Amino acid sequence: MIQYEWRGAWVVAAQGSYDMQSIKPLADALTTAAKEHPKVVLDASGITFADSSLLNLLALTHREAALRVAAPARQLQRVLELTGMDTVLEVRDTLEEAAA
């Protein structure tokens, strides 16, 4: 996982699969980012699998900061749509749009 500041937003670039067993490092990164930065962007382009653990984390982070999800891969985009989270979260097609 890579983290950096870009265009006034704190970007957390996640890679791989996220479920109950693997969510902790991403949860720690997003929790810290939400406490320290008003705008947080999750670069989701590298997420290959996500379950309800990630959805819960996104909802919690959304409460703490202006969270935007950038470039979700097809599986994550489908999960966001099926659960209605795409209407709650700010989901953008590109990192540039999310950081704007």
Side-chain angles (χ1 to χ4, degrees):
M1 177 177 352
I2 299 169
Q3 300 182 59
Y4 56 95
E5 189 169 358
W6 191 60
R7 296 187 177 182
W10 189 255
V11 178
V12 177
Q15 299 287 321
S17 181
Y18 292 96
D19 58 23
M20 186 181 233
Q21 300 299 319
S22 60
I23 198 75
K24 186 165 177 16
L26 181 58
D28 292 345
L30 287 177
T31 299
T32 300
K35 289 178 183 174
E36 297 177 2
H37 305 278
K39 188 191 307 183
V40 177
V41 174
L42 173 63
D43 179 351
S45 61
I47 296 176
T48 57
F49 174 81
D51 69 3
S52 60
S53 302
L54 180 64
L55 294 179
N56 185 50
L57 174 59
L58 296 179
L60 293 172
T61 305
H62 175 68
R63 288 188 199 165
E64 301 299 320
L67 174 66
R68 296 175 182 182
V69 179
R74 183 178 208 142
Q75 189 268 338
L76 179 55
Q77 180 65 43
R78 184 76 174 129
V79 169
L80 293 171
E81 290 169 0
L82 287 172
T83 59
M85 288 295 288
D86 63 329
T87 63
V88 175
L89 300 172
E90 291 190 47
V91 180
R92 301 291 182 256
D93 291 334
T94 67
L95 185 58
E96 291 82 10
E97 291 174 6

